[in-house]
C-alpha cells in the first residue's frame, strides 16, 4: 500500500502544480527586461569561439568586433552612449553557445548578439533569441531557407555567393565540374544554387561528394575526382577539412593551373594556415578580399593590423562582414533612438530599424552594401579572386551590380521571406521559420 | 552501380594508404596497451605534440623535414617518459583509472600547447618531391602516401626487431606474459613499462610528424585520431600483427565503402562492423596476453 | 569493517533528503529565469551522473557511450516538440530543403505528444536492453565494453549526420516553441520547468539508491568485484549486467528528454565522444560509488565550466585537467572517497575513546 499512497501523493502534487499556471510562465516572458539610458553603455553580446576547432575563423570575428566597437566608441559611440561588448568564448561547443546565449539575453540583457559562424551554432541559439524577441547579427555567409524575425545577416546568401563564380569558371576552364563539400546543410544548399548557375552556363556536373565535418581523409574523394576528370572543382569544404583538402589535392599531384578549386570558403586565413603554395592558383568567391583596392579598405587593413587586435596578420571576408554588422547596428540604433527615444528602444525596434540600412563605401571596406527591407539579408557585390603564391588574392572579376539576397530563391513553392514572416504562395504567413 | 576496374584498383591502393595511416596512428598505442594494458587517452595528443615538434623545428631552426621525424620521436618519447614516471606508474593495477587520468593528461597537453603556440593553425612543410604523384597505367597514388606506407613498414619492422631481437624485447614480452614471474627473474618491470610507454609515445610523435603534412596542425588535432586508433588496437587484440591486420582491413573497407557510397556512410559502416566483430571476438584478432578478455 | 558514519544507512538517507530539499527550494529563493534554467540543466547532468554511477560505480560497467541514450531521448523529445509547432499536414521546414514532401514514417509517431514522450523513453531503453543483452551474453566486459560503447556512440554520431533529410544533419533540431502538455506550456525558464526536472532527478536518485540497497543491487555489486564467482554461485551474470545497464539507459533517456525541453535544441553533438567521456569524468571526480556525490561531480565541473571558465579563459582547462589527474592519482574514490576517509577518521577517534564498540554497521560494504 505504501507505493500506491506515494503514487497518489505524487499525482495529486503534480495535479496541484499543473493547476497553478503561474509557475509555468516566468514573469519576464517575451519582453526585453532592460531599458537604455542616454549616456550609459549599450550592452551587446559577442558570441564566437576563441578556442577549439572553430576558433580559426571565429577568433578573428571577435577581434574585429572589438576593433569596430573601439572605433565607434572613439568617434562618440551611438548617440553619445558607448557600446559595451560582453565577450564570450563559446569553446566550439554548441551547448555552450546555447547556454551563453541564454545568459547574454536573460542575465546580461544585451540588446543584440553578434555571433556564430556555423549554421549549427545559429540553430542552437535561435530558440532563445526568438522566444525573448532579441536580435542576432549573423555576420557570415549562410544557406538561407530560414525566415525569423530576429536575425540580420551581413554575409552572402547561397543565392548570391556562387552566381558569378560558376559561369566564370565554366568560361575559363571548361564545362565539366565536380562538387566537394562538408557534410552539412550549408554546402548542400550552396550546391543546389550552384547547380542552377551551372545549368544556365551549360556546364555538366560529374559528381558530388560530402566529407564529414572535421574529417581529414580526402583520398577516396580525390580518387573519384581523378576518375571523373573534371575541368574544375567547386568546393564548399569548411574549416580544418578545407586545409587538409587543399594540401592533399596538391600532394596527390593535381595541378591548380589545369584543374583549380573554386571555393566559397578558402580565404586569406585559410591560405595562411595551409601554406601559401597549397592555395596558389585556386579561386574564391567572396564579397571582400584583403587586397581590395579602395581607400576605406586601406584604412581598415592598416588600422586593424596595427591595432592590438591585429595579431593574426590578415583580414578576410568574414571579418569585413563582422565589421559591417557593427556599423549596421550603429545605424539602426541611431534610427531607432531618433524614432522612439532612448528609453523606448528594444531589440525588436532595432531589428525593424535595420531594414534598408545602407553602409556607404566610406564605411564598408567591401564597398557599399545595404540590408534588404524584407528579409534582412544584405545586398552586396560578390567578387572573384585567385590566390597568389604568397597567399594573397588578386581580384579577377567583380559583379557589375549588387546582387539581391533571397533566402528562398530555390524554393518558390515554400514562399517569400518578408519582414513579418514567411509568406506562402497562398498568402498564409508563418513566423519563426527555422 | 557500375565501378570501373581502374577505380576499384585505385581504391585498393588507396585502402593500403589509409591502412598505413591507421597503423602508424595505432602503433604506439598497440605497444602501450599490449604491454602494460594502459588505455592511453592522451595518445592523440602525443600525435599532436609530434606535429608541433616538427612545426617548431622547421619554423625556428630550419631543420629539414626528414631530420624532424627522428627528433619528434625523441622529444615526444621523452615527454611520454616523464608522464609515465610522474603519473602512469602509480596506476598500473587500475586500468580504468589510467583511462581517466590520461584523459586529464590530454586536456593539459592541449591547453599547454595552446598557451605556448596559440590556437591559430600551423602547418608542416614537406620536400617538393613528396608533393607529387606516381601514375602507372591509370593507377595512381601520391608520393607522400607511398612514403607513409613505407614508414608504416619501417616502423613495424623496427618494433618487431625491438620486441623479438633484443634483450629489452625479451623483457617486455616476459613482463607482458606474467609480471610477477618476470620480476622473480630479476626483471625490473617498472623500468620496462617506463621505456615501453616512452617508445609508444615516441611512435605517436612520428605519426604526428607524418600527419602534420596531411592535415592542419592544431592543439585539438589529436582528438580526431584517438578513437580510430583505439578501435584499431582493440580490434587487433593488442598485438603488433593484430593491429597490422586490423589496420589493413579497416583501411581497405573504408576506401571501398567510400567508393561505393560516401565518406560519412563509410565511417558509419566501419563502426558498426567493429562492434559486430568484437561482439563475436571480444579478445580481438590476436590477443597479446592470454589472461585478458 | 570499521564503524564509519559514511556507511550509516539512516545518515545516508538523511543526507540525500537534505540535499534534495535544498535543491528543491531554489525557485523559492530566486526567480532569475537564467539561473533556474541553468540549474535545471545541471539537474539533467546530475541525472546523467546518477545513471553512470549506477552502472559503473555499482555494476562496474564503464560506459563511455551514455550519450547514446541521452541523444536518442533528446532527439525523440525534440521531434515531438517540433511536431507540436507544425500546423496539420505541414512538415518541418528543414525537410522541404532536403527534398522530402511528406512526413517520413520515422517521424509519424511523434505527431502525437504522448506517443512521442513515450518513445523518448522507450527507444533508448529498448536499444540498451538489446545492445546490453547481446554484449553481456558474449561476456564482453571491462575496457572492451567501454570501447564498444564508444564505437557504437560514434556510429550514431555519423549516421545522424548523414541522414540529413530525417535528422537535419549537423544542425540538429531546434523546435521554435516550448513543449506543451495539454493546455500547459512548459516554459524552459519557469520555476515549473525547474521543479519538473528536479522531481525527475529526485525520483531517479531515490530509485537508484533503492536499487543499490536491494538484493538485486547486492548481486550487481558482487559481480563488479568478481563476475566469475557470482557465476559459480548460480546467478546469470549477463541478466544482471543487462538490467543495470538498461536502467542506467532509462535514466539517461529521461535526462535527454529533459535536456531537449530545457534547451529546445538537439544535435549530433549530443553523440560526441567528448561529451560522453565528460560524464564519466564528473562521476569519477565526485565519486563513482556514491550517487549523490557523482551528482555533485557533475554540478562542480559544469558549474566551474560556466563560472570559473569566464574569468580564466585559457587556464581553466589546465586547472580541470590537473585537478582530474590529481583526483585519479590520489583520490580514486573521488570527493566521496575523501569524505569517507575523513568521516572514518573522526568516527575512529570517537570509537577509540569509547574503547572500541564492536557493533557492526548495517550499512553497505566498503566499496572499492
Amino acid at each position: 500500500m505504501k507505493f500506491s499512497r506515494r503514487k497518489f501523493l505524487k499525482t495529486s502534487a503534480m495535479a496541484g502544480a499543473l493547476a497553478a499556471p503561474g509557475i509555468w510562465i516566468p514573469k519576464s516572458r517575451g519582453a526585453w527586461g532592460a531599458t537604455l539610458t542616454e549616456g550609459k553603455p549599450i550592452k551587446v553580446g559577442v558570441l564566437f569561439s576563441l578556442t577549439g576547432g572553430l576558433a580559426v575563423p571565429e577568433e578573428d570575428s571577435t577581434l574585429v568586433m572589438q576593433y569596430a566597437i573601439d572605433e565607434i566608441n572613439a568617434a562618440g559611440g551611438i548617440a553619445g552612449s558607448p557600446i559595451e561588448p560582453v565577450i564570450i568564448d563559446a569553446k566550439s561547443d554548441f551547448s555552450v553557445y546555447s547556454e551563453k546565449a541564454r545568459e547574454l539575453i536573460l542575465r546580461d540583457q544585451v540588446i543584440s548578439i553578434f555571433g556564430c559562424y556555423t549554421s549549427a551554432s545559429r540553430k542552437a541559439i535561435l530558440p532563445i533569441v526568438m522566444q525573448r524577441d532579441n536580435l542576432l547579427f549573423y555576420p557570415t555567409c549562410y544557406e538561407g531557407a530560414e525566415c525569423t524575425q530576429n536575425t540580420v545577416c551581413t554575409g552572402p546568401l547561397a543565392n548570391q555567393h556562387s552566381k558569378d563564380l560558376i559561369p566564370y569558371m565554366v568560361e575559363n576552364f571548361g564545362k565539366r565540374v565536380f562538387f566537394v563539400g562538408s557534410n552539412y546543410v550549408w554546402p548542400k544548399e550552396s550546391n543546389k544554387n550552384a547547380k542552377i548557375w551551372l545549368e544556365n552556363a551549360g556546364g555538366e556536373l560529374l559528381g558530388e561528394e560530402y566529407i564529414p565535418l572535421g574529417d581529414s581523409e580526402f583520398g577516396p574523394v580525390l580518387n573519384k575526382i581523378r576518375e571523373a576528370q573534371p575541368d574544375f572543382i567547386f568546393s564548399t569544404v569548411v574549416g580544418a577539412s578545407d586545409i587538409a583538402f587543399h594540401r592533399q589535392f596538391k600532394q596527390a599531384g593535381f595541378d591548380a593551373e589545369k584543374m583549380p578549386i573554386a571555393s566559397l570558403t578558402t580565404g586569406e586565413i585559410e591560405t595562411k594556415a595551409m601554406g601559401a603554395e597549397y592555395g596558389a592558383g585556386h579561386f574564391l568567391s567572396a564579397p571582400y578580399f584583403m587586397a581590395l583596392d579602395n581607400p576605406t579598405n586601406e584604412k581598415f587593413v592598416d588600422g586593424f593590423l596595427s591595432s592590438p587586435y591585429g595579431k593574426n596578420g590578415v583580414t578576410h571576408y568574414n571579418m569585413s562582414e563582422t565589421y559591417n554588422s557593427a556599423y549596421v547596428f550603429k545605424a539602426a540604433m541611431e534610427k531607432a533612438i531618433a524614432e522612439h527615444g532612448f528609453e523606448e528602444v528594444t531589440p525588436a525596434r532595432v531589428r525593424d530599424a535595420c531594414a534598408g540600412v545602407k553602409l556607404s563605401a566610406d564605411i564598408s571596406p567591401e564597398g557599399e552594401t545595404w540590408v534588404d527591407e524584407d528579409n534582412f539579408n544584405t545586398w552586396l557585390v560578390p567578387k572573384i579572386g585567385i590566390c597568389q603564391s604568397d597567399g594573397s588574392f588578386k581580384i579577377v572579376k567583380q559583379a557589375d551590380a549588387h546582387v539581391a539576397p533571397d533566402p528562398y530563391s530555390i524554393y518558390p513553392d515554400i514562399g517569400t521571406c518578408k519582414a513579418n514572416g514567411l509568406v506562402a504562395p497562398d498568402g498564409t504567413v508563418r513566423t519563426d521559420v527555422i | 552501380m557500375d565501378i570501373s576496374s581502374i577505380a576499384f584498383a585505385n581504391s585498393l591502393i588507396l585502402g593500403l594508404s589509409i591502412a598505413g595511416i591507421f597503423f602508424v596512428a595505432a602503433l604506439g598505442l598497440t605497444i602501450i596497451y599490449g604491454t602494460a594494458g594502459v588505455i592511453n587517452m592522451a595518445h592523440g595528443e602525443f600525435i599532436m605534440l609530434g606535429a608541433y615538434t616538427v612545426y617548431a623545428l622547421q619554423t625556428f631552426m630550419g631543420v629539414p623535414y626528414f631530420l624532424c621525424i627522428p627528433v619528434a620521436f625523441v622529444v615526444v618519447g621523452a615527454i611520454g617518459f616523464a608522464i609515465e614516471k610522474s603519473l602512469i606508474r602509480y596506476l598500473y593495477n587500475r586500468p580504468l583509472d589510467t583511462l581517466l587520468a590520461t584523459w586529464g593528461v590530454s586536456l593539459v597537453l592541449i591547453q599547454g600547447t595552446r598557451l605556448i603556440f596559440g590556437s591559430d593553425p600551423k602547418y608542416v612543410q614537406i620536400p617538393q618531391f613528396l608533393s607529387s604523384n606516381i601514375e602507372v597505367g591509370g593507377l595512381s597514388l601520391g608520393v607522400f602516401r607511398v612514403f607513409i606506407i613505407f614508414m608504416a613498414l619501417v616502423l613495424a619492422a623496427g618494433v618487431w626487431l625491438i620486441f623479438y631481437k633484443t634483450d629489452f624485447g625479451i623483457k617486455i614480452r616476459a613482463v607482458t606474459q606474467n609480471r610477477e614471474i618476470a620480476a622473480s627473474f630479476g626483471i625490473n618491470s617498472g623500468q620496462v613499462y617506463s621505456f615501453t610507454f616512452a617508445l609508444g609515445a615516441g611512435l605517436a610523435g612520428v605519426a604526428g610528424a607524418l600527419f602534420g603534412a596531411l592535415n592542419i596542425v592544431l592543439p585539438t588535432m589529436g582528438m580526431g585520431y584517438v578513437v580510430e586508433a583505439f578501435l584499431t588496437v582493440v580490434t587487433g587484440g593488442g598485438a603488433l600483427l593484430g593491429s597490422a591486420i586490423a589496420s589493413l582491413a579497416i583501411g581497405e573497407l573504408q576506401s571501398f565503402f567510400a567508393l561505393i557510397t560516401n565518406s560519412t556512410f563509410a565511417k558509419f559502416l566501419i563502426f558498426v562492423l567493429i562492434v559486430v566483430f568484437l561482439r563475436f571476438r571480444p579478445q580481438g584478432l590476436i590477443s597479446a596476453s592470454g589472461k585478458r578478455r | 569493517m570499521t564503524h564509519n558514519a559514511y556507511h550509516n544507512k539512516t545518515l545516508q538517507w538523511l543526507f540525500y533528503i537534505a540535499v534534495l530539499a535544498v535543491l528543491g527550494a531554489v525557485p523559492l529563493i530566486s526567480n532569475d529565469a537564467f539561473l533556474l534554467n541553468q540549474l535545471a540543466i545541471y539537474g539533467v547532468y546530475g541525472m546523467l551522473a546518477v545513471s553512470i554511477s549506477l552502472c559503473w560505480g555499482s555494476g562496474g560497467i564503464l560506459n563511455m557511450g551514455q550519450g547514446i541514450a541521452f541523444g536518442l531521448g533528446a532527439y525523440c523529445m525534440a521531434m515531438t516538440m517540433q511536431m507540436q509547432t507544425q500546423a496539420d499536414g505541414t512538415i518541418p521546414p528543414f525537410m522541404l530543403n532536403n527534398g522530402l514532401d511528406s512526413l517520413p514514417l520515422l517521424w509519424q509517431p511523434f505527431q502525437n505528444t504522448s506517443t512521442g514522450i513515450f518513445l523518448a523513453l522507450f527507444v533508448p531503453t529498448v536499444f540498451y536492453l538489446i545492445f546490453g543483452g547481446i554484449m553481456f551474453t558474449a561476456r564482453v566486459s571491462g575496457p572492451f565494453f567501454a570501447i564498444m560503447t564508444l564505437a557504437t556512440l560514434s556510429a550514431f554520431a555519423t549516421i545522424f549526420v548523414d541522414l540529413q533529410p530525417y535528422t537535419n544533419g549537423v544542425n540538429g533540431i531546434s523546435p521554435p516553441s516550448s513543449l506543451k502538455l495539454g493546455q500547459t506550456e512548459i516554459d524552459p525558464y519557469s520555476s515549473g520547468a525547474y521543479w519538473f526536472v528536479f522531481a525527475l532527478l529526485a525520483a531517479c536518485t531515490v530509485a537508484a539508491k533503492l536499487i543499490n540497497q536491494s538484493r538485486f543491487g547486492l548481486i550487481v555489486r558482487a559481480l563488479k568485484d568478481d563476475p566469475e564467482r557470482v557465476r559459480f554461485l548460480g546467478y546469470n551474470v549477463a541478466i544482471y549486467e543487462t538490467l543495470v545497464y538498461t536502467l542506467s539507459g532509462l535514466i539517461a533517456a529521461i535526462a535527454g528528454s529533459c535536456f531537449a525541453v530545457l534547451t529546445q535544441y538537439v544535435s549530433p553533438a549530443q553523440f560526441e565522444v567528448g561529451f560522453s567521456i565528460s560524464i564519466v569524468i564528473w562521476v569519477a571526480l565526485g565519486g563513482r560509488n556514491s550517487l549523490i556525490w557523482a551528482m555533485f561531480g557533475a554540478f562542480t565541473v559544469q558549474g566551474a565550466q560556466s563560472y570559473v571558465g569566464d574569468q580564466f579563459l585559457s587556464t581553466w582547462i589546465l586547472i580541470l585537467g590537473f585537478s582530474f589527474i590529481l583526483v585519479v592519482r590520489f583520490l580514486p574514490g573521488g570527493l566521496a572517497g575523501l569524505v569517507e576517509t575523513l568521516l572514518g577518521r573522526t568516527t575512529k577517534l570517537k570509537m577509540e575513546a569509547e574503547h572500541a564498540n564492536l557493533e557492526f554497521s548495517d550499512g553497505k560494504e566498503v566499496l572499492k
Side-chain angles (χ1 to χ4, degrees):
Chain A
M1 268 351 269
K2 196 173 136 203
F3 270 96
S4 64
R5 202 181 80 201
R6 181 179 292 161
K7 215 170 172 183
F8 170 74
L9 283 175
K10 211 167 158 187
T11 324
S12 45
M14 292 280 273
L18 282 167
I23 66 160
W24 298 105
I25 308 288
K27 285 178 194 133
S28 52
R29 174 76 186 270
W32 183 56
T35 313
L36 294 183
T37 320
E38 201 165 351
K40 292 272 168 58
I42 299 167
K43 263 195 197 177
V44 298
V46 179
L47 182 60
F48 296 100
S49 290
L50 303 174
T51 52
L54 294 171
V56 175
E58 295 198 20
E59 186 192 21
D60 285 334
S61 297
T62 302
L63 293 168
V64 80
M65 197 65 212
Q66 288 173 283
Y67 173 73
I69 290 174
D70 280 5
E71 203 177 72
I72 291 171
N73 288 346
I78 294 172
S81 288
I83 305 177
E84 183 193 325
V86 182
I87 292 163
I88 305 277
D89 173 13
K91 303 186 183 81
S92 303
D93 179 341
F94 300 141
S95 304
V96 176
Y97 279 96
S98 139
E99 178 186 336
K100 292 299 177 185
R102 291 191 292 267
E103 184 166 356
L104 286 170
I105 292 171
L106 298 171
R107 179 165 285 173
D108 297 316
Q109 300 187 313
V110 299
I111 192 156
S112 292
I113 294 176
F114 296 82
C116 303
Y117 171 73
T118 57
S119 297
S121 57
R122 186 184 75 247
K123 300 272 187 200
I125 76 167
L126 273 179
I128 174 69
V129 174
M130 295 189 307
Q131 202 212 30
R132 293 304 165 111
D133 217 357
N134 209 288
L135 182 58
L136 169 68
F137 282 89
Y138 183 56
T140 188
C141 43
Y142 94 111
E143 65 273 7
E146 195 175 277
C147 189
T148 76
Q149 287 60 64
N150 307 84
T151 325
V152 175
C153 174
T154 51
L157 275 173
N159 83 306
Q160 302 167 290
H161 213 159
S162 58
K163 194 178 178 220
D164 286 348
L165 182 64
I166 299 281
Y168 176 86
M169 296 304 289
V170 169
E171 196 178 307
N172 288 282
F173 292 92
K175 290 176 182 313
R176 296 153 57 80
V177 52
F178 198 99
F179 286 3
V180 182
S182 292
N183 195 348
Y184 74 108
V185 181
W186 178 75
K188 291 185 177 178
E189 293 297 304
S190 296
N191 283 347
K192 280 184 200 161
N193 279 283
K195 276 179 210 161
I196 295 172
W197 312 129
L198 188 66
E199 199 174 311
N200 291 347
E204 182 194 350
L205 178 61
L206 303 175
E208 202 175 341
E209 279 289 320
Y210 297 96
I211 297 294
L213 263 181
D215 210 42
S216 59
E217 181 53 81
F218 281 86
V221 170
L222 291 170
N223 266 356
K224 284 181 186 174
I225 290 174
R226 199 186 301 282
E227 176 93 345
Q229 298 278 340
D231 295 322
F232 71 96
I233 291 155
F234 177 64
S235 158
T236 43
V237 180
V238 305
S241 300
D242 190 33
I243 286 149
F245 178 45
H246 279 79
R247 291 185 73 91
Q248 292 177 26
F249 184 79
K250 188 164 194 280
Q251 284 163 6
F254 289 109
D255 184 355
E257 275 183 26
K258 290 184 193 127
M259 190 203 292
I261 302 173
S263 165
L264 298 184
T265 54
T266 318
E268 287 86 349
I269 187 78
E270 282 85 1
T271 54
K272 179 169 170 265
M274 69 180 67
E277 79 257 37
Y278 292 95
H282 297 301
F283 290 81
L284 168 73
S285 170
Y288 173 83
F289 287 92
M290 188 173 172
L292 274 183
D293 187 19
N294 69 56
T296 314
N297 184 40
E298 216 163 277
K299 188 178 131 236
F300 171 64
V301 173
D302 291 346
F304 179 75
L305 294 185
S306 59
S307 76
Y309 310 113
K311 62 175 180 118
N312 288 343
V314 289
T315 60
H316 51 89
Y317 59 89
N318 222 37
M319 295 169 69
S320 128
E321 289 152 14
T322 313
Y323 179 81
N324 280 358
S325 71
Y327 277 93
V328 171
F329 172 73
K330 175 176 186 276
M333 280 294 291
E334 284 165 354
K335 221 163 113 184
I337 290 167
E339 203 173 314
H340 304 282
F342 235 104
E343 278 78 22
E344 297 298 316
V345 174
T346 61
R349 285 185 167 154
V350 179
R351 186 260 185 180
D352 291 342
C354 282
V357 162
K358 193 169 262 190
L359 296 185
S360 67
D362 45 310
I363 291 177
S364 161
E366 58 182 79
E368 187 183 64
T369 65
W370 63 90
V371 179
D372 189 85
E373 292 183 350
D374 287 325
N375 60 41
F376 292 81
N377 290 284
T378 301
W379 289 66
L380 39 76
V381 182
K383 293 137 190 121
I384 298 170
I386 178 169
C387 184
Q388 311 288 99
S389 53
D390 63 351
S392 72
F393 283 79
K394 191 176 96 187
I395 290 125
V396 292
K397 190 174 192 306
Q398 175 161 347
D400 306 327
H402 283 72
V403 181
D406 183 356
Y408 286 87
S409 62
I410 49 177
Y411 305 109
D413 298 346
I414 298 179
T416 326
C417 188
K418 299 281 182 194
N420 59 337
L422 181 65
V423 183
D426 64 2
T428 51
V429 179
R430 282 165 63 205
T431 56
D432 295 346
V433 181
I434 57 171
Chain B
M1 180 179 271
D2 52 321
I3 296 155
S4 71
S5 53
I6 293 282
F8 183 67
N10 266 324
S11 119
L12 282 181
I13 296 173
L14 178 72
L16 213 56
S17 129
I18 298 178
I21 292 173
F22 268 93
F23 182 69
V24 171
L27 189 57
L29 202 60
T30 309
I31 292 171
I32 294 174
Y33 175 74
T35 307
V38 170
I39 300 187
N40 177 22
M41 294 303 280
H43 186 72
E45 279 57 51
F46 288 157
I47 294 178
M48 177 270 291
L49 288 176
Y52 269 97
T53 308
V54 177
Y55 160 77
L57 288 171
Q58 286 184 337
T59 313
F60 302 120
M61 285 175 259
V63 181
Y65 179 66
F66 288 115
L67 205 61
C68 291
I69 298 177
V71 181
F73 177 82
V74 174
V75 170
V76 183
I79 295 172
F81 189 79
I83 291 174
E84 202 279 342
K85 280 288 181 202
S86 55
L87 176 68
I88 310 293
R89 70 189 177 111
Y90 300 105
L91 304 172
Y92 280 119
N93 40 11
R94 292 152 52 188
L96 288 180
D97 285 354
T98 56
L99 189 156
L100 302 171
T102 49
W103 180 258
V105 170
S106 81
L107 289 183
V108 171
L109 292 179
I110 290 175
Q111 195 57 30
T113 308
R114 191 177 282 145
L115 288 176
I116 296 169
F117 292 99
S119 55
D120 54 318
K122 315 286 187 214
Y123 57 88
V124 164
Q125 283 161 326
I126 53 171
Q128 202 57 47
F129 77 93
L130 286 178
S131 275
S132 58
N133 200 38
I134 303 173
E135 224 167 322
V136 187
L139 302 179
S140 69
L141 193 64
V143 176
F144 192 74
R145 284 179 178 269
V146 176
F147 178 63
I148 289 183
I149 298 174
F150 168 75
M151 283 301 290
L153 295 174
V154 168
L155 294 176
V159 169
W160 185 82
L161 282 177
I162 291 176
F163 266 59
Y164 292 95
K165 297 290 167 200
T166 64
D167 283 350
F168 179 58
I170 294 171
K171 287 181 186 170
I172 295 178
R173 285 183 292 137
V175 171
T176 308
Q177 279 168 9
N178 194 319
R179 194 177 167 179
E180 284 76 25
I181 294 178
S184 72
F185 280 90
I187 297 174
N188 181 345
S189 66
Q191 205 178 34
V192 169
Y193 280 162
S194 300
F195 280 103
T196 314
F197 198 87
L199 177 65
L203 288 169
V206 174
L210 297 173
F211 300 162
L214 279 175
N215 201 347
I216 184 171
V217 180
L218 274 177
T220 44
M221 69 181 280
M223 302 269 195
Y225 293 104
V226 71
V227 175
E228 284 168 4
F230 253 110
L231 295 177
T232 311
V233 173
V234 173
T235 308
L240 187 62
L241 186 61
S243 284
I245 298 173
S247 314
L248 196 64
I250 294 175
E252 287 294 353
L253 285 174
Q254 180 155 336
S255 173
F256 179 68
F257 290 150
L259 174 71
I260 58 172
T261 63
N262 68 63
S263 297
T264 317
F265 198 68
K267 272 179 93 171
F268 169 72
L269 285 177
I270 293 289
F271 287 130
V272 171
L273 281 180
I274 288 176
V275 172
V276 172
F277 173 78
L278 286 176
R279 159 65 178 75
F280 291 103
R281 219 181 141 71
Q283 72 273 38
L285 281 167
I286 296 165
S287 183
S289 99
K291 64 188 174 194
R292 274 194 306 274
R293 61 150 50 248
Chain C
M1 197 190 285
T2 53
H3 197 79
N4 184 338
Y6 183 83
H7 300 294
N8 184 314
K9 235 185 216 173
T10 320
L11 286 180
Q12 282 180 358
W13 277 109
L14 284 175
F15 183 55
Y16 274 58
I17 291 167
V19 169
L20 293 175
V22 169
L23 291 179
V26 171
L28 303 176
I29 304 160
S30 164
N31 61 6
D32 176 346
F34 172 71
L35 187 75
L36 287 182
N37 178 262
Q38 191 182 40
L39 291 181
I41 291 171
Y42 291 174
V44 167
Y45 297 144
M47 279 184 236
L48 280 174
V50 165
S51 77
I52 287 290
S53 170
L54 182 65
C55 81
W56 182 33
S58 307
I61 304 163
L62 177 57
N63 176 1
M64 295 204 293
Q66 198 67 329
I68 300 171
F70 184 76
L72 286 175
Y75 261 98
C76 290
M77 188 54 107
M79 285 157 86
T80 311
M81 291 163 70
Q82 178 74 41
M83 288 318 294
Q84 284 190 338
T85 66
Q86 296 299 133
D88 281 340
T90 62
I91 65 173
F94 75 84
M95 289 183 188
L96 294 167
N97 315 341
N98 283 290
L100 295 182
D101 42 16
S102 63
L103 196 66
L105 195 63
L106 180 71
W107 274 70
Q108 283 180 4
F110 298 95
Q111 285 169 305
N112 180 306
T113 302
S114 329
T115 318
I117 295 174
F118 170 72
L119 285 176
L121 305 180
F122 183 75
V123 170
T125 311
V126 166
F127 179 82
Y128 269 45
L129 190 66
I130 295 171
F131 181 79
I134 290 173
M135 292 301 156
F136 293 122
T137 45
R139 300 193 184 175
V140 179
S141 62
F144 293 94
F145 186 76
I147 297 287
M148 305 276 261
T149 54
L150 208 59
T152 313
L153 181 74
S154 307
F156 269 106
T158 4
I159 200 67
F160 270 72
V161 167
D162 202 41
L163 288 178
Q164 197 176 300
Y166 308 100
T167 62
N168 203 17
V170 175
N171 280 8
I173 298 167
S174 22
S177 323
S178 351
L179 177 73
K180 284 180 212 68
L181 289 178
Q183 293 305 309
T184 316
E185 184 177 341
I186 302 202
D187 185 293
Y189 309 99
S190 63
S191 44
Y194 176 89
W195 270 320
F196 186 72
V197 171
F198 163 77
L200 287 170
L201 172 68
C204 291
T205 314
V206 169
K209 176 102 183 119
L210 287 173
I211 289 168
N212 272 345
Q213 291 183 350
S214 68
R215 202 182 113 82
F216 173 79
L218 188 69
I219 296 163
V220 165
R221 282 203 305 282
L223 66 85
K224 172 177 72 170
D225 295 333
D226 195 338
E228 285 305 315
R229 198 170 291 174
V230 178
R231 200 169 278 128
F232 285 139
L233 288 172
Y235 291 101
N236 187 335
V237 169
I239 289 183
Y240 284 91
E241 283 177 325
T242 309
L243 281 180
V244 75
Y245 175 67
T246 307
L247 283 170
S248 95
L250 173 64
I251 298 178
I254 297 174
S257 316
C258 292
F259 182 79
V261 173
L262 291 171
T263 60
Q264 290 178 243
Y265 177 66
V266 58
S267 79
Q270 265 69 60
F271 291 115
E272 252 171 33
V273 170
F275 178 64
S276 284
I277 292 183
S278 61
I279 307 173
V280 174
I281 285 177
W282 307 333
V283 176
L285 271 178
R288 70 189 81 157
N289 296 323
S290 161
L291 297 162
I292 204 118
W293 283 97
M295 201 163 91
F296 287 158
F299 295 166
T300 313
V301 177
Q302 282 304 304
Q305 192 125 306
S306 302
Y307 289 100
V308 183
D310 292 351
Q311 264 92 56
F312 316 92
L313 275 183
S314 52
T315 42
W316 150 243
I317 301 179
L318 268 186
I319 298 170
L320 180 71
F322 272 119
S323 58
F324 194 66
I325 293 171
L326 291 177
V327 167
V328 176
R329 166 79 177 80
F330 296 107
L331 286 176
L335 296 174
L338 183 66
V339 174
E340 182 182 354
T341 319
L342 292 179
L343 284 177
R345 204 165 285 166
T346 47
T347 8
K348 203 172 150 199
L349 289 175
K350 214 191 282 170
M351 265 164 51
E352 276 163 8
E354 288 169 9
H355 303 288
N357 184 347
L358 279 177
E359 186 193 334
F360 280 92
S361 134
D362 61 345
K364 295 193 288 184
E365 293 277 333
V366 180
L367 300 173
K368 234 197 141 197

